[in-house]
Amino acid sequence: MSNSESLTIEGSKLKPIKHLIAGIVFVAIGGYLIHTGSIFGWGCVLFFGLAIPASILQFFKRSYIKLDSSGFEVGYGAKPWRLDWHEVDLFYVGKIGGNKMIAIKYSSSYEKQQGSRKIASTLTGMEGVINNQFKLSPEQICKHLNDWKVRYCEDANT
């Protein structure tokens, strides 16, 4: 859904299905490793076993990014979260373990979550991220986010 005052980027239903299939495959591999006597099989079953219910929940829960004149809201997981345009300096594509993410560089005036942002930046090189689970590519989403930020931050300053 989009109009001149808002744009909603919908989540992909294909990505949770891919994660579900991968989880099932790795649990099966873990089961085989357990059968052969390998202790690593248990780790595989436990870790990837958690991906199965998470993928199922992700499939049924609506995920989205909604952009409007004051900022954007990200909905996935338990509770949607929101940032105003002035709280962000830049959006760019970053990677964690080879997986592309929408990275967030916060404004120097943004004082919330400083501790967790510092830890995230130390571990990943990014202060904040939006997971790559949408129908558009991270590059396309970053372009939309940066374009809307420029448009509405300039409108607020004039």
Side-chain angles (χ1 to χ4, degrees):
M1 171 188 120
S2 68
N3 63 36
S4 62
E5 292 301 315
S6 70
L7 170 70
T8 301
I9 301 167
E10 296 292 339
S12 170
K13 292 296 184 190
L14 184 58
K15 289 181 182 179
I17 292 171
K18 288 179 182 179
H19 295 154
L20 176 64
I21 292 168
I24 292 169
V25 167
F26 281 105
V27 166
I29 291 169
Y32 173 75
L33 291 173
I34 292 168
H35 180 72
T36 63
S38 173
I39 191 83
F40 294 112
W42 287 107
C44 196
V45 167
L46 292 172
F47 181 77
F48 289 104
L50 294 173
I52 294 171
S55 298
I56 293 169
L57 289 173
Q58 189 180 30
F59 180 80
F60 289 107
K61 182 150 177 61
R62 178 177 178 245
S63 58
Y64 63 90
I65 303 173
K66 183 177 182 183
L67 293 67
D68 60 35
S69 60
S70 63
F72 67 99
E73 178 178 279
V74 179
Y76 61 79
K79 183 180 174 188
W81 54 275
R82 181 172 182 79
L83 288 171
D84 292 338
W85 296 122
H86 67 86
E87 296 173 320
V88 176
D89 277 343
L90 177 70
F91 301 93
Y92 61 97
V93 177
K95 288 186 178 181
I96 298 177
N99 296 315
K100 289 183 178 180
M101 307 270 179
I102 299 118
I104 302 169
K105 182 178 187 311
Y106 291 94
S107 166
S108 59
S109 63
Y110 184 68
E111 296 181 356
K112 297 177 185 172
Q113 305 167 336
Q114 288 183 350
S116 59
R117 286 175 23 217
K118 188 171 188 125
I119 292 168
S121 182
T122 301
L123 294 174
T124 67
M126 298 173 275
E127 287 185 275
V129 298
I130 302 171
N131 292 333
N132 179 14
Q133 61 185 39
F134 301 96
K135 291 179 181 178
L136 298 180
S137 71
E139 292 83 2
Q140 292 171 311
I141 294 171
C142 284
K143 180 170 179 5
H144 282 300
L145 288 165
N146 285 316
D147 288 350
W148 278 64
K149 177 192 168 16
V150 167
R151 180 184 327 153
Y152 288 106
C153 278
E154 285 181 0
D155 285 352
N157 293 333
T158 57

